[in-house]
Amino acid sequence: MKREKLTNKDLWKIFRRQIFIRSCLNFERHQALGFANAMSPVFDKYYQGQEKVDAMERHMQLFLTQPMVSAIPVGVAAAMEESIALEGNVEPDSVNAVKSALMGPLAALGDSLINGTARPLLAGIAVGLALQGNILGPILFFIGMSIITLGVRYYGVFRGYKYGVNIVGDLQKSGLINKITDLAAVAAFVIIGGFVPAVVSLNLSWSYVVDAYTTISLQDALDGLIPGLLPVAVTMLMYFLLTKKKANPIMLMMLLMAIGIVGVYAGIL
């Protein structure tokens, strides 16, 4: 068994394997197989025979969190396995205890910051550009999300390994995860709300002829009162039907398409 610590080369191997943590996702143990695969450079370096089998089985227990921030427990687990193999000052059973403690808070953090804030923000900008016929829209989204996701994974593996189990106590004591999660949720709602008038299009074609020189447009009158009123109203109606009435989203999509087609041919929209 080798006695040296993990090198940057080893950590890069772990980083590359962690990217595919969902490649063998299943409903029995979720990301466990992907987690064990990410840890395989550690197993190969420190264990042989039954010890290697035990280490693999240790990381085949149920594991589930947001895929990108799962790099943090991967890095922490690598540091703990290194301590088990080289110093013997960490109980093997404590590895899964730490992983379990990180799953829930990190899932909330990753969903809020990445899925709930960064992705909608970049998607909104990309959609706005694409609606104008600008090819930079999808390119910007791809590059932006790649930087975020790979950056989070890199930070998780390398920093998680560097700080080890200390990162668990620091996160729990500071309450940082809860604070960031709450702020990210607020920011996501604000950002998504701001994009509604840009990505939801609804204009009324009705107009009222006052005399030979004056025509009043209902849409212009509404925009003069509250710009974007109709798109926001439709969005809020869909939100109400989805959350409160548990409406089928596919049926709502079909209904909106039908209303749009009929409205255009009837001269209403």
Side-chain angles (χ1 to χ4, degrees):
M1 180 179 64
K2 297 183 179 180
R3 306 302 300 178
E4 64 267 18
K5 290 182 174 292
L6 293 172
T7 64
N8 279 337
K9 183 177 180 181
D10 297 323
L11 293 177
W12 276 113
K13 291 179 181 179
I14 296 171
F15 167 81
R16 289 193 294 268
R17 289 173 178 270
Q18 191 278 332
I19 295 174
F20 304 100
I21 193 167
R22 296 186 67 188
S23 58
C24 293
L25 187 69
N26 62 80
F27 290 106
E28 181 184 1
R29 302 184 184 184
H30 293 282
Q31 300 165 345
L33 189 56
F35 198 106
N37 178 58
M39 293 290 294
S40 60
V42 180
F43 304 151
D44 293 339
K45 183 164 189 170
Y46 291 128
Y47 301 120
Q48 295 178 357
Q50 187 59 42
E51 286 186 342
K52 189 172 186 179
V53 173
D54 293 340
M56 289 181 176
E57 290 181 347
R58 185 158 57 241
H59 291 281
M60 280 300 295
Q61 302 302 312
L62 185 143
F63 182 83
L64 178 63
T65 192
Q66 207 277 343
M68 298 158 206
V69 297
S70 66
I72 296 176
V74 167
V76 172
M80 295 182 72
E81 290 291 348
E82 180 184 84
S83 296
I84 293 172
L86 299 184
E87 301 172 12
N89 58 355
V90 175
E91 289 294 329
D93 292 340
S94 65
V95 179
N96 279 322
V98 171
K99 288 166 56 179
S100 298
L102 287 173
M103 285 194 298
L106 288 180
L109 181 64
D111 287 337
S112 298
L113 289 181
I114 299 176
N115 295 338
T117 303
R119 183 171 291 164
L121 175 60
L122 288 174
I125 296 173
V127 169
L129 292 173
L131 289 173
Q132 299 174 9
N134 193 330
I135 195 173
L136 288 178
I139 296 175
L140 174 66
F141 180 78
F142 175 78
I143 294 176
M145 286 305 300
S146 296
I147 292 174
I148 292 171
T149 56
L150 293 177
V152 169
R153 294 178 192 274
Y154 172 86
Y155 182 89
V157 171
F158 283 79
R159 292 297 178 180
Y161 167 74
K162 180 179 179 179
Y163 294 111
V165 294
N166 293 330
I167 197 173
V168 181
D170 292 342
L171 289 174
Q172 291 179 337
K173 291 178 182 178
S174 65
L176 182 63
I177 290 180
N178 293 332
K179 295 176 183 178
I180 294 177
T181 300
D182 293 340
L183 292 175
V186 173
F189 287 132
V190 172
I191 291 168
I192 294 174
F195 280 122
V196 168
V199 299
V200 179
S201 178
L202 179 61
N203 297 300
L204 297 177
S205 299
W206 284 341
S207 59
Y208 175 72
V209 178
V210 178
D211 52 43
Y213 303 99
T214 306
T215 301
I216 299 176
S217 170
L218 180 58
Q219 184 63 50
D220 290 341
L222 290 174
D223 289 339
L225 293 173
I226 304 178
L229 174 61
L230 291 180
V232 173
V234 171
T235 302
M236 294 302 296
L237 176 61
M238 295 299 106
Y239 175 78
F240 172 78
L241 293 176
L242 286 169
T243 58
K244 303 299 183 181
K245 299 300 181 181
K246 307 300 180 183
N248 188 314
I250 304 299
M251 295 302 297
L252 290 180
M253 292 171 60
M254 299 299 294
L255 178 62
L256 286 175
M257 291 175 60
I259 292 175
I261 294 171
V262 173
V264 170
Y265 277 99
I268 300 174
L269 302 176

